[in-house]
Amino acid sequence: MDMAQVAPTDNGGSNRQALSDDDAAGRALFLGWATAAGCTHEVDEIGNLFVRRPGRDGAKPPVLIGSHLDTQPTGGRFDGVYGVLGGLEVIERLNDLGIETEAPIDLVVWTNEEGSRFQTSMMGSGVWAGKLSLDDAKALTDVDGITVADELDRLGWAGARPASPSPLTGSFELHIEQGPILESEELEIGVVTGVQGLRWFTIELGGYPAHAGPTPMEGRKDPARVIGRIIDRVYGVVDELGPWGRGTFAQFGSDPVSPNTIPERLWCTLDLRHPDADTLQQMEERMRDIVEEEAGARGVTSTVTRQNDSPPVTFDENCVAAVEDAVSAVGFSNHRMISGAGHDACYVALHAPTAMIFVPCDDGLSHNEAENISKEQAERGATVLLGAVRRMAGGS
Ligand SMILES: [Zn+2]
């Protein structure tokens, strides 16, 4: 709740967009707590902040806990924040109990997970994992033309540590579910075994600008007319592919900005998701065919650009088992599940054994100021995280 006081919104949420002064203030608050808990810290080249609780065996690769502190513009208080502060709670609890683990424990705050201000989600972990080049990430701009590099320099977050993986014993991300399944099934913990694949696209249509009045409907090259058909048909494909398919059109724009001219350019974003790689590929291909067909039928040009490709992820069985053992040890109701949202853990999983832990959130709501979990839910998730981390890190 103290973290939620940093850049609060009118309706009870948080607005700490990546690499803003508010994001910096959130990190400073966190770093103060981590330092008070005896942790050292390092920042890497893309601003990922790593704090460390030393282990008994300094040569042992650390167990990594991580999530993010940046939020959506009208974000909630728990998305990402819960995973970071849950990790801090684990460290503080180990301190309280005087437990020394074999492996060190690293807690990371990834830079720009949300991808709302600088539009690549999971940016910091993506650079770390080698899925996004440091230069490409630094060149990303916000709507005011400010680059990631500008902000890293301004905030002093361009650290010396290379943004690349070093060996890890294991890795865990604790997160709110951001969906309704656990709540509706009245379960306390989700043992996350993998993450849906997602692809982001920009669809751009080119028409022929003309006056809205004198120009007859027939023969117009009107991208608005085409986008309507595209949206309808693509949603049809998503529905057809069963309960795990997801399709979301968002962020529409047009040129010229005028109510009485046929747009010369109209664009929108599309987010497609599926847990199965082949089906996701099929969704993309069918979407591309639809765009081409509908644009072609109206003499409109079309371009589909894939902005982001995050393949489905299957987590490490040992880490998943560590979470399951930790859950059974305390007797919380649970089941295995797939995450519908992308997380930094997807990129970490490319280089280290990884799993995630979910707690239910009210009405499954997230990316919303009303996002909420109870104290009890928060405590259960952190308890399971503690158990899983101790199992991986070893020690008494
Ligand atoms: Zn998140």
Side-chain angles (χ1 to χ4, degrees):
M1 292 310 101
D2 289 341
M3 183 60 74
Q5 289 310 306
V6 180
T9 60
D10 291 343
N11 299 309
S14 293
N15 178 8
R16 289 190 306 276
Q17 294 183 62
L19 296 160
S20 63
D21 287 341
D22 294 323
D23 190 15
R27 279 190 176 203
L29 182 62
F30 162 75
L31 194 54
W33 290 331
T35 306
C39 295
T40 55
H41 74 275
E42 266 188 311
V43 181
D44 77 10
E45 298 159 296
I46 195 68
N48 296 318
L49 168 63
F50 293 80
V51 308
R52 168 165 293 196
R53 182 182 193 266
R56 188 177 298 145
D57 182 353
K60 236 184 164 188
V63 172
L64 184 76
I65 307 171
S67 203
H68 59 98
L69 289 175
D70 68 312
T71 73
Q72 291 283 317
T74 51
R77 297 167 296 169
F78 300 97
D79 176 0
V81 182
Y82 173 55
V84 172
L85 299 187
L88 182 62
E89 179 62 26
V90 165
I91 288 173
E92 290 177 343
R93 186 70 180 147
L94 290 170
N95 289 349
D96 291 346
L97 297 173
I99 291 170
E100 194 178 23
T101 53
E102 280 296 325
I105 295 171
D106 278 6
L107 171 55
V108 55
V109 180
W110 299 109
T111 304
N112 184 27
E113 191 276 345
E114 292 292 357
S116 47
R117 179 182 176 200
F118 299 102
Q119 300 197 342
T120 291
S121 61
M122 303 175 281
M123 183 193 79
S125 52
V127 171
W128 177 90
K131 280 291 168 185
L132 174 66
S133 83
L134 180 62
D135 289 342
D136 286 353
K138 284 168 110 171
L140 289 168
T141 54
D142 70 3
V143 288
D144 298 320
I146 299 170
T147 65
V148 165
D150 292 338
E151 291 295 59
L152 286 173
D153 287 343
R154 186 178 69 83
L155 298 168
W157 285 8
R161 174 174 165 149
S164 55
S166 45
L168 295 171
T169 295
S171 161
F172 298 97
E173 182 167 356
L174 171 65
H175 210 282
I176 60 169
E177 181 195 348
Q178 304 182 286
I181 296 168
L182 291 173
E183 187 178 68
S184 69
E185 296 184 8
E186 295 183 8
L187 293 168
E188 294 168 316
I189 293 289
V191 179
V192 187
T193 59
V195 179
Q196 273 191 340
L198 80 88
R199 291 181 183 180
W200 280 5
F201 303 92
T202 305
I203 299 172
E204 204 175 326
L205 302 173
Y208 193 74
H211 197 298
T215 317
M217 295 310 286
E218 199 184 320
R220 287 184 180 200
K221 293 178 177 170
D222 183 355
R225 193 145 187 169
V226 172
I227 197 70
R229 296 270 308 161
I230 291 173
I231 291 173
D232 202 40
R233 288 186 59 193
V234 171
Y235 279 138
V237 168
V238 175
D239 289 340
E240 194 191 305
L241 291 172
W244 284 106
R246 300 280 185 274
T248 305
F249 284 91
Q251 245 191 314
F252 294 81
S254 67
D255 264 332
V257 180
S258 164
N260 55 356
T261 299
I262 296 166
E264 182 168 13
R265 195 177 81 92
L266 192 146
W267 60 272
C268 68
T269 59
L270 170 64
D271 173 317
L272 290 177
R273 301 183 190 219
H274 203 281
D276 176 68
D278 291 342
T279 313
L280 186 58
Q281 176 62 25
Q282 193 192 331
M283 283 166 99
E284 172 173 345
E285 284 166 13
R286 289 179 67 183
M287 176 271 292
R288 285 182 182 274
D289 287 348
I290 289 169
V291 171
E292 220 178 281
E293 219 176 285
E294 292 296 338
R298 292 268 173 193
V300 164
T301 61
S302 66
T303 329
V304 175
T305 313
R306 195 159 78 190
Q307 307 288 5
N308 206 344
D309 180 10
S310 174
V313 174
T314 306
F315 286 142
D316 175 73
E317 191 48 47
N318 278 333
C319 285
V320 170
V323 173
E324 260 174 351
D325 286 355
V327 179
S328 359
V330 286
F332 299 150
S333 59
N334 69 92
H335 75 177
R336 289 188 168 211
M337 64 189 297
I338 294 275
S339 170
H343 295 284
D344 294 307
C346 300
Y347 282 140
V348 179
L350 298 174
H351 297 279
T354 299
M356 287 189 75
I357 302 159
F358 277 173
V359 298
C361 51
D362 290 3
D363 301 322
L365 202 61
S366 179
H367 286 200
N368 187 310
E369 294 160 277
E371 182 183 276
N372 195 41
I373 61 175
S374 70
K375 273 188 186 177
E376 291 71 25
Q377 285 166 332
E379 184 183 345
R380 282 184 207 111
T383 300
V384 173
L385 178 63
L386 173 67
V389 166
R390 283 191 67 184
R391 278 163 176 78
M392 291 306 280
S396 51

